[in-house]
Amino acid sequence: MLKLLIVDDEALVRDGIALALKRECPGELAILKAASGREGLAICEREQPEIIISDVRMPQMNGLDMARALVERQPGAKLIFISAYSEIAYYRAAMKLHAVSFVEKPIVLEELLAEVRRAIELIVAERRMSEAPLSDAEREEIAFLSLLHNNPERIPASVRDRLAPDCPIQVFVAGRLRETPAAPRLLAVREAALRALEPDCSVALCGMDGRNCVLLLACAAPSGRRLQALSRALLACFPGERAFLTRAEARGIPGIPRALEAAGARQVYRFFYPQAHFYAAGDGGVIRSQPNVCTPEFVAELTGAIEQRQVRRAARLMEDGLRRLCAPPECPPEHVRLTALHMLEAAAGAFSRLGLELEGVRPADWQALSAPETFDALLQVVRSALEKWASAADSMDESGRSIYQIKREIEKNYADPGFSIAQLASRIHLSESYAGNLFKRKTGMTIGGYLNAVRMERAKQLLSDPSNKVAEVGQKVGIENTDYFARRFKQYTGMTPSEYRR
């Protein structure tokens, strides 16, 4: 079992990566965690992990400084850096430390898991290199991985000599495979490519990189019909699969790792294609801008439909809006997910105005939006949320909605010293006496008592922060007279504000 260390000063990031790795690589990795570069270095000295995932910017000792110290003591460790800072200086520094990869925040877990799988493959290959004898197939696999990951000392002369220094190399990545193809399948992929490009291509190498099948073709970029014919031939090598094919071009051996990174990055667009597909829209480097579907006009129409109880119309508006982001070349999937989140936030606000107790889209809802691997599955999550809220709103009686609206108005306006029960009743279109009697009957409290409770609970929170002066807390909860605030607070808690703070 390999040891993997996660170094990040954010506990949520550490725990999230660890959980994903346990699901992705069950039984393969012993996972260690550290909150700083110093702690990470200490764990490395003690545990000797083979793979280190580290944030770049951290207090005390950053990830690059930790790695510089580590390279001298444990040169074989595979480094994967993560950072929210995309400056080229960080990337260059990481590459000088022979990092396997540099992943930008916000982390796309699928990309990070692919890099970990790649590191595992490298370690396995290096261990096999130290064992003798190696079969021809094993030597070819090690040479192939060395080409992908810029390890020139591992590339045999027999392979290097077949690729001219400035020879264009087409890098194809086939992802979303259900299982690792057996050796005959990889051979079939290579032969299919050679047949499709004959006589223009005489060198083809094929192998696995993590969970992706990678094909290297030494030739100029095919164009038009020939490229489509090649893609169809390659996809036909994965019958019954949802294989997704992407491409990038390298100039000679040194450019292969970056081309692999570019082709791999385009795999994210498989989100839009549930069936086998060749994605070529990004080949020219043109990525569609990210249009704002959730305009004020759209939100007004969406919320208006919900408040008029036209839920089917609201669902159709949301679906049509999301589908506008899918016309090739597509927007990045994360933009589609965020747009869906904004739509649900607007819908939640509309349902709240109908009296449903919603605090907006919660973390669980965002996790549900992050999970779907396809656009159609994301649409189903959006539909389900809308249907669930609509059903809950329909089950509320009129008095329940009125009680919720009273509470909501109080919680929004408690800090206003001029706020009154008469104002509240007017805003929810009820008479003052009816609102008061209804609230008392349903909750056992008067509206004034509930308003006082909301103010006192908020005062308790403010008093817990030493930066808030006692004399100012009353004003912040809507009570301008300090003595009156102190009396009400003692009646509510049994203590004066000063005693509560102690």
Side-chain angles (χ1 to χ4, degrees), residues 194-311:
L194 288 172
R195 283 196 303 271
L197 296 178
E198 189 180 15
D200 296 331
C201 180
S202 59
V203 179
L205 298 171
C206 185
M208 294 301 296
D209 182 48
R211 296 217 167 170
N212 293 329
C213 176
V214 179
L215 174 69
L216 303 181
L217 301 174
C219 63
S223 60
R225 294 179 181 176
R226 203 158 197 206
L227 179 60
Q228 291 300 325
L230 172 62
S231 68
R232 286 194 295 270
L234 296 178
L235 289 171
C237 294
F238 303 100
E241 298 277 10
R242 297 182 302 154
F244 190 77
L245 194 65
T246 53
R247 180 185 72 88
E249 181 174 314
R251 179 63 62 176
I253 290 176
I256 291 177
R258 295 300 296 272
L260 174 64
E261 181 183 353
R266 290 175 187 149
Q267 283 285 314
V268 73
Y269 290 93
R270 69 194 189 192
F271 173 77
F272 299 101
Y273 301 95
Q275 304 303 320
H277 187 79
F278 171 54
Y279 183 79
D283 284 350
V286 179
I287 297 177
R288 186 182 178 195
S289 62
Q290 301 179 13
N292 178 21
V293 171
C294 291
T295 61
E297 295 77 16
F298 174 87
V299 171
E301 188 175 3
L302 172 64
T303 55
I306 292 171
E307 289 170 359
Q308 295 167 25
R309 302 302 184 90
Q310 298 174 350
V311 177

Side-chain angles (χ1 to χ4, degrees), residues 218-461:
C219 63
S223 60
R225 294 179 181 176
R226 203 158 197 206
L227 179 60
Q228 291 300 325
L230 172 62
S231 68
R232 286 194 295 270
L234 296 178
L235 289 171
C237 294
F238 303 100
E241 298 277 10
R242 297 182 302 154
F244 190 77
L245 194 65
T246 53
R247 180 185 72 88
E249 181 174 314
R251 179 63 62 176
I253 290 176
I256 291 177
R258 295 300 296 272
L260 174 64
E261 181 183 353
R266 290 175 187 149
Q267 283 285 314
V268 73
Y269 290 93
R270 69 194 189 192
F271 173 77
F272 299 101
Y273 301 95
Q275 304 303 320
H277 187 79
F278 171 54
Y279 183 79
D283 284 350
V286 179
I287 297 177
R288 186 182 178 195
S289 62
Q290 301 179 13
N292 178 21
V293 171
C294 291
T295 61
E297 295 77 16
F298 174 87
V299 171
E301 188 175 3
L302 172 64
T303 55
I306 292 171
E307 289 170 359
Q308 295 167 25
R309 302 302 184 90
Q310 298 174 350
V311 177
R312 287 187 179 178
R313 178 171 157 240
R316 190 167 57 253
L317 284 169
M318 296 170 79
E319 181 171 338
D320 290 347
L322 291 171
R323 287 196 184 280
R324 290 208 300 273
L325 304 178
C326 300
E330 302 83 353
C331 294
E334 285 309 302
H335 180 64
V336 180
R337 295 182 197 276
L338 286 171
T339 301
L341 176 66
H342 293 155
M343 288 180 178
L344 287 181
E345 284 280 12
F351 279 110
S352 293
R353 288 189 287 278
L354 292 176
L356 192 64
E357 294 198 34
L358 285 175
E359 299 173 1
V361 181
R362 304 185 183 193
D365 297 303
W366 172 237
Q367 290 172 5
L369 289 173
S370 301
E373 293 185 359
T374 65
F375 176 77
D376 289 342
L378 178 74
L379 281 183
Q380 187 54 49
V381 170
V382 172
R383 291 191 199 106
S384 296
L386 206 60
E387 290 169 2
K388 177 181 69 176
W389 295 340
S391 176
D394 288 342
S395 67
M396 292 180 63
D397 59 22
E398 195 61 41
S399 62
R401 291 193 189 92
S402 297
I403 294 300
Y404 178 74
Q405 288 173 333
I406 290 171
K407 289 182 176 180
R408 186 167 174 267
E409 286 297 319
I410 289 174
E411 288 159 7
K412 282 170 55 181
N413 297 286
Y414 72 87
D416 178 5
F419 181 64
S420 67
I421 297 175
Q423 285 180 329
L424 182 153
S426 174
R427 289 175 185 176
I428 62 174
H429 309 293
L430 296 175
S431 70
E432 186 175 344
S433 60
Y434 179 81
N437 291 333
L438 175 66
F439 195 84
K440 176 72 173 177
R441 189 172 71 252
K442 292 290 186 178
T443 68
M445 297 177 66
T446 65
I447 293 178
Y450 184 78
L451 172 60
N452 183 66
V454 169
R455 283 172 166 168
M456 294 305 107
E457 288 298 324
R458 178 57 178 154
K460 287 163 65 176
Q461 295 174 5

Side-chain angles (χ1 to χ4, degrees), residues 3-5 30 32 40-50 74:
K3 294 180 182 178
L4 180 144
L5 172 64
L32 310 166
L41 196 57
I43 291 175
C44 286
E45 291 177 349
R46 185 173 68 249
E47 300 290 341
Q48 298 287 298
E50 289 87 355
Q74 197 178 339

